[in-house]
């Protein structure tokens, strides 16, 4: 594509100066490729604000785009965003003509940029909301063989979100696949609230997001043979 052809997208978007537009008008009369691209894109470009929701993107293309944008399990952890976008552009060429590829790539960059900005704005907003401790619940060993074990659980709130934060110290060490598991007891029913492993000093921490309106009567901490317990299978070490 010659240099003059590069002005097709600004021409469709009405972003050229008057002199540049007149020059491209002359170019358009004689360029077969630009004529074809202009016929394909101009109507769709100007109709985007009104009927874009009716355009059905092929499922195969959706999957490929999402894979490039959201796949964090890349072969190289150092792969940059621009190299990903370059690969994405190459993939799009198999679905669109060159100018269409440029438009789709630019639109994707804008959409991704807006998404990142939205997430960053939410994070900044969350940072400005203070964390309030609603309740502090002491934790202690349940038998004399682990009398040094102790801890505390906090119910904290940030905005509309509530979390349970459990901190325990001087826990017996675990071996192999063993883990500590936290249980919330309500009306005789135990609910799994997550697992953790203590450090070499026997200290462990766990954070669990509470569902809206969720309450409990007691907290129990057991040592489990593995991470697959739906109900306690091991010894209870500490609790409220």
């Amino acid at each position: 594509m010659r240099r003059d052809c590069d002005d097709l997208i600004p021409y469709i978007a009405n972003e050229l100066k008057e002199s540049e537009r007149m020059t491209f008008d002359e170019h358009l009369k004689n360029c077969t490729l630009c004529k074809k691209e202009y016929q394909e894109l101009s109507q769709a470009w100007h109709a985007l604000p009104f009927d874009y929701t009716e355009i059905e993107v092929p499922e195969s293309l959706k999957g490929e785009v999402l894979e490039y944008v959201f796949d964090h399990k890349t072969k190289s952890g150092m792969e940059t965003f621009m190299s990903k976008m370059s690969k994405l552009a190459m993939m799009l060429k198999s679905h669109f003509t060159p100018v269409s590829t440029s438009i789709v790539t630019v639109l994707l960059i804008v959409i991704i940029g807006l998404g990142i900005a939205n997430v960053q704005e939410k994070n900044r907003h969350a940072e400005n909301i203070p964390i309030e401790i609603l309740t502090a619940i002491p934790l202690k060993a349940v038998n004399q063989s682990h009398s040094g074990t102790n801890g505390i659980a906090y119910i904290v709130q940030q905005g509309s979100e509530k979390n349970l934060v459990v901190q325990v110290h001087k826990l017996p060490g675990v071996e192999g696949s063993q883990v500590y598991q936290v249980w919330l007891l309500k009306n005789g029913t135990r609910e799994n609230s997550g697992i953790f492993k203590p450090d070499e000093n026997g200290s462990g921490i766990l954070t669990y997001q509470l569902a809206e309106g969720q309450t409990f009567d007691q907290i129990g901490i057991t040592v489990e043979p593995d991470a697959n317990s739906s109900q306690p299978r091991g010894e209870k070490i500490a609790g409220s």
Side-chain angles (χ1 to χ4, degrees):
M1 192 182 295
R2 295 185 296 111
R3 174 67 180 137
D4 289 341
C5 298
D6 293 342
D7 288 334
L8 177 58
I9 294 176
Y11 179 82
I12 294 174
N14 198 28
E15 294 180 351
L16 294 177
K17 297 178 181 178
E18 184 62 29
S19 59
E20 294 172 335
R21 188 170 186 82
M22 292 176 63
T23 300
F24 192 81
D25 281 332
E26 293 299 318
H27 169 76
L28 192 59
K29 293 176 182 178
N30 303 304
C31 181
T32 303
L33 179 59
C34 282
K35 283 182 181 179
K36 181 176 182 297
E37 296 286 0
Y38 179 77
Q39 291 171 354
E40 290 179 359
L41 296 174
S42 60
Q43 184 175 358
W45 178 273
H46 294 297
L48 276 175
F50 304 100
D51 64 2
Y52 68 92
T53 55
E54 298 177 8
I55 298 173
E56 182 60 32
V57 180
E59 290 298 326
S60 60
L61 179 57
K62 289 180 183 178
E64 290 172 355
V65 171
L66 290 174
E67 181 179 356
Y68 274 99
V69 175
F70 297 109
D71 182 14
H72 299 295
K73 298 178 180 179
T74 55
K75 293 180 180 180
S76 173
M78 299 300 293
E79 186 174 20
T80 65
F81 172 76
M82 290 310 297
S83 67
K84 287 185 179 181
M85 292 309 300
S86 175
K87 290 183 179 180
L88 177 58
M90 293 296 293
M91 179 270 292
L92 290 174
K93 287 181 180 179
S94 66
H95 296 274
F96 299 103
T97 58
V99 174
S100 300
T101 296
S102 299
I103 292 177
V104 173
T105 303
V106 170
L107 289 175
L108 283 172
I109 291 173
V110 171
I111 292 169
I112 294 168
L114 289 174
I116 293 173
N118 187 44
V119 170
Q120 291 176 337
E121 179 62 28
K122 287 183 178 178
N123 288 340
R124 284 195 295 268
H125 180 66
E127 289 173 358
N128 292 330
I129 300 176
I131 297 176
E132 179 184 1
I133 297 177
L134 302 180
T135 308
I137 306 168
L139 302 173
K140 57 185 179 180
V142 297
N143 57 56
Q144 292 299 318
S145 59
H146 309 300
S147 58
T149 300
N150 66 88
I152 191 165
Y154 297 99
I155 297 177
V156 301
Q157 181 164 354
Q158 185 176 30
S160 60
E161 183 179 294
K162 287 185 181 180
N163 289 282
L164 174 69
V165 181
V166 177
Q167 292 180 304
V168 193
H169 306 286
K170 297 185 179 179
L171 287 164
V174 293
E175 298 179 353
S177 62
Q178 286 184 318
V179 295
Y180 280 97
Q181 193 150 348
V182 178
W183 307 91
L184 299 183
L185 184 65
K186 177 70 174 180
N187 296 329
T189 301
R190 290 179 177 84
E191 179 178 341
N192 173 21
S193 301
I195 59 176
F196 67 92
K197 283 194 173 186
D199 62 19
E200 59 184 12
N201 297 317
S203 295
I205 186 169
L206 177 140
T207 300
Y208 174 73
Q209 185 172 341
L210 296 169
E212 184 176 355
Q214 182 178 2
T215 60
F216 55 89
D217 302 321
Q218 288 182 303
I219 299 173
I221 302 173
T222 60
V223 57
E224 299 294 318
D226 52 50
N228 303 316
S229 298
S230 57
Q231 289 294 320
R233 294 182 290 162
E235 178 188 2
K236 184 176 180 180
I237 302 298
S240 59

